[in-house]
Amino acid sequence: SFLKMSGLRKTAFPFDYCVSNLNVIASLIENDFADFFNFKKCIETNPNYNADGQNTIFRNNSYPDLSYPHHNFNNEDIIAKYGKRIKRFQFVLSSNLNILFIHFHQSIKIDIIPFINAMKTKYPNCRYQLITIELIIDQLSDLRPISSQISNHLRYELHTSEPSLGAIQNKKLFDGMLKQFEFKVVTI
């Protein structure tokens, strides 16, 4: 991921490397991840695609728009790992740290209001910035800021010919975006 390449990923959280949308994330925040571990084996993929050697994507039964292509949720160690990630995530949201959420999506309109409402309800004192990045596959190579009506939300369009978010080509674009923020990376 670009966070890892940029030296910003010091610890793991439950939404790292997943395919999801902000409505699912909002629901899980609201219900304290009550039905997070409701996974089933669902999609067979290219065996080289999955980091743990499995050729399956796990999709959450309660949330069809939440899937993990990199972890086997039939494995007790993975379930324990994600239990720790959830507790860490909740701890950080309850802390006095400034939080930066980054959400990628591909050429679909997203509604950020459920996420913002969930954060206001569950973590009213949380100080955070939400960045949403729409990945647009074309022959351009730039990151364009798009106006937003919400003060703690920044929108970008990432134009690239490389669909892989971790591509070296995109690292320069992400680094340029992240330079706008002053942050201290904290290991939790």
Side-chain angles (χ1 to χ4, degrees):
S1 80
F2 84 92
L3 289 176
K4 198 175 216 178
M5 288 189 308
S6 300
L8 296 174
R9 186 171 192 263
K10 301 296 182 189
T11 192
F13 294 98
F15 301 114
D16 297 351
Y17 307 113
C18 77
V19 178
S20 185
N21 64 49
L22 286 175
N23 291 336
V24 168
I25 293 169
S27 294
L28 287 165
I29 289 170
E30 286 173 339
N31 73 21
D32 292 320
F33 290 80
D35 45 3
F36 179 80
F37 292 107
N38 188 7
F39 284 91
K40 69 175 181 179
K41 194 168 148 175
C42 68
I43 300 173
E44 296 297 321
T45 62
N46 178 339
N48 298 324
Y49 179 69
N50 196 304
D52 67 3
Q54 301 295 316
N55 61 346
T56 303
I57 294 176
F58 284 80
R59 179 167 289 147
N60 187 295
N61 287 330
S62 302
Y63 300 101
D65 291 335
L66 176 62
S67 59
Y68 287 82
H70 302 288
H71 292 99
N72 180 344
F73 280 87
N74 287 330
N75 181 316
E76 290 298 321
D77 292 338
I78 298 296
I79 291 171
K81 181 190 295 189
Y82 271 84
K84 289 177 186 174
R85 288 181 180 193
I86 290 167
K87 286 180 181 163
R88 186 180 305 123
F89 180 74
Q90 292 169 323
F91 173 78
V92 168
L93 294 182
S94 299
S95 74
N96 63 355
L97 297 171
N98 292 319
I99 312 297
L100 179 62
F101 289 102
I102 302 173
H103 185 267
F104 293 95
H105 57 100
Q106 191 167 351
S107 301
I108 56 168
K109 184 151 178 79
I110 63 165
D111 183 6
I112 64 166
I113 300 303
F115 176 81
I116 289 172
N117 289 340
M119 291 297 293
K120 281 182 188 174
T121 301
K122 292 298 282 191
Y123 301 98
N125 298 319
C126 183
R127 296 180 310 216
Y128 71 93
Q129 181 78 43
L130 170 64
I131 297 175
T132 56
I133 302 172
E134 179 180 0
L135 183 65
I136 299 172
I137 309 300
D138 57 22
Q139 296 306 308
L140 303 174
S141 182
D142 66 353
L143 188 67
R144 299 177 183 174
I146 308 295
S147 66
S148 175
Q149 303 298 320
I150 298 170
S151 63
N152 61 339
H153 175 229
L154 298 173
R155 288 181 56 212
Y156 291 90
E157 288 180 350
L158 173 60
H159 292 265
T160 179
S161 59
E162 173 57 59
S164 170
L165 292 174
I168 298 300
Q169 165 191 346
N170 294 334
K171 183 181 181 320
K172 291 178 188 168
L173 299 173
F174 294 130
D175 287 346
M177 176 191 67
L178 293 175
K179 283 182 183 173
Q180 298 177 52
F181 301 95
E182 271 195 44
F183 37 156
K184 177 181 174 187
V185 177
V186 177
T187 304
I188 306 282

